[in-house]
Amino acid sequence: MLVYPSGLDLSSSHLRFLTARIRERRRAIGSRWRRLSAGRQALLTLAHLRNGHPYAQLAAEFGIGTTTAYRYIAEAVDLLAALAPTLEQAVREASRKAFVLLDGTLLPIDRIAADRPFYSGKHKRHGMNVQILADPAGRLLWASPALAGAIHDIRAAREHGILHALTSAGIPCWADKGYQGAGPAVRVPFRGRWENLSEGQQAVNRSQAKIRAPVEPAVATLKNWRLLRKLRCSTTRITRLVQTVLTLHLTRSN
């Protein structure tokens, strides 16, 4: 396999943070020698997450076996996923904001037509549903565990306990029409064709669209990690990958 230099559009703080976590892990389990140093293992993991490079390609670039590359990346992903904030922690952070933005996104996966539970009728493709909480400026606060793409946004929000948590904390929330009936804490636009809405309803919908617009950068925060643009792994691992990206993003933000 030919090997060529490649770059990562990430800051050195990501590398330092992950390297420190890996060193702590190695000391805790008494690991004495490995093919890659903690820093190289961290770089291997970030290259996989950010650029979406397959294990075989990364193994050739780092001079290790494919199985070793998989084990090193899986170990680092588990370390970072365990540090991701819970919904309760995210709600406490959101309580300091004027309001929060709620939205759902679909992470595409490679599934065949027979995998109906993963097929999203809204997006016309197979994927995993992930719910996003963002602050008024569009900064990502929390990302939910991944559910099958056939699950609608409002059902996903209920299953994760998002609506109950926001209502209990008294945090105003803005969302799109997919969250109709979510409860008093969630404000949604009026439903119906635009020409059938009254002038007052149209004005409300325009105002809400401006308020909800910053949620798009929060969704893009996940999609900027190329691995999440087209997932080819087991669906049971996708939640940990999302939590890993969330941890790295919040680490950089803080």
Side-chain angles (χ1 to χ4, degrees):
M1 180 179 292
L2 297 177
V3 179
Y4 63 92
S6 180
L8 285 175
D9 54 341
L10 295 173
S11 70
S12 58
S13 63
H14 288 105
L15 182 61
R16 291 194 300 268
F17 176 80
L18 181 52
T19 299
R21 304 291 80 73
I22 293 174
R23 284 175 179 159
E24 293 171 359
R25 166 67 177 172
R26 293 184 179 186
R27 284 196 296 266
I29 65 176
S31 179
R32 296 183 178 181
W33 180 87
R34 295 198 182 186
R35 293 292 303 275
L36 296 182
S37 65
R40 293 286 287 173
Q41 182 180 351
L43 185 61
L44 169 74
T45 304
L46 293 176
H48 176 64
L49 294 170
R50 191 66 172 182
N51 289 344
H53 291 165
Y55 297 115
Q57 180 177 343
L58 291 170
E61 292 173 357
F62 283 81
I64 57 178
T66 303
T67 302
T68 302
Y70 175 84
R71 288 192 293 104
Y72 282 1
I73 292 172
E75 179 186 44
V77 165
D78 288 342
L79 286 174
L80 292 174
L83 300 175
T86 63
L87 176 59
E88 291 72 20
Q89 292 171 327
V91 169
R92 284 198 295 271
E93 176 65 22
S95 64
R96 304 188 185 100
K97 313 294 182 180
F99 59 89
V100 294
L101 303 170
L102 172 63
D103 199 7
T105 187
L106 188 81
L107 300 181
I109 60 175
D110 58 341
R111 286 296 182 273
I112 61 176
D115 294 320
R116 299 302 298 178
F118 300 100
Y119 185 79
S120 170
K122 174 182 177 181
H123 298 275
K124 308 299 181 185
R125 64 190 309 178
H126 293 82
M128 300 295 286
N129 181 301
V130 174
Q131 298 294 297
I132 301 294
L133 282 179
D135 68 10
R139 290 184 288 264
L140 180 63
L141 297 176
W142 182 75
S144 74
L147 296 176
I151 296 178
H152 295 284
D153 284 338
I154 187 169
R155 177 184 166 189
R158 285 172 176 154
E159 289 194 15
H160 294 309
I162 300 172
L163 305 180
H164 175 72
L166 294 176
T167 302
S168 299
I171 302 174
C173 174
W174 300 83
D176 61 26
K177 297 177 182 179
Y179 296 89
Q180 290 283 346
V186 182
R187 304 175 184 179
V188 297
F190 289 101
R191 297 191 68 175
R193 297 178 63 87
W194 182 259
E195 59 272 16
N196 295 334
L197 299 177
S198 67
E199 292 185 4
Q201 291 173 330
Q202 292 178 358
V204 169
N205 283 7
R206 280 193 293 265
S207 176
Q208 291 197 1
K210 292 179 181 179
I211 294 173
R212 290 186 290 105
V215 78
E216 295 303 326
V219 174
T221 297
L222 294 180
K223 300 294 181 69
N224 282 340
W225 296 78
R226 295 175 184 86
L227 184 68
L228 299 183
R229 296 180 186 176
K230 183 67 172 181
L231 290 154
R232 295 177 173 84
C233 61
S234 168
T235 55
T236 59
R237 296 188 60 240
I238 294 176
T239 291
R240 279 180 291 173
L241 292 174
V242 171
Q243 291 172 336
T244 296
V245 169
L246 176 63
T247 298
L248 289 171
H249 168 71
L250 295 178
T251 299
R252 179 66 181 91
S253 300
N254 295 333

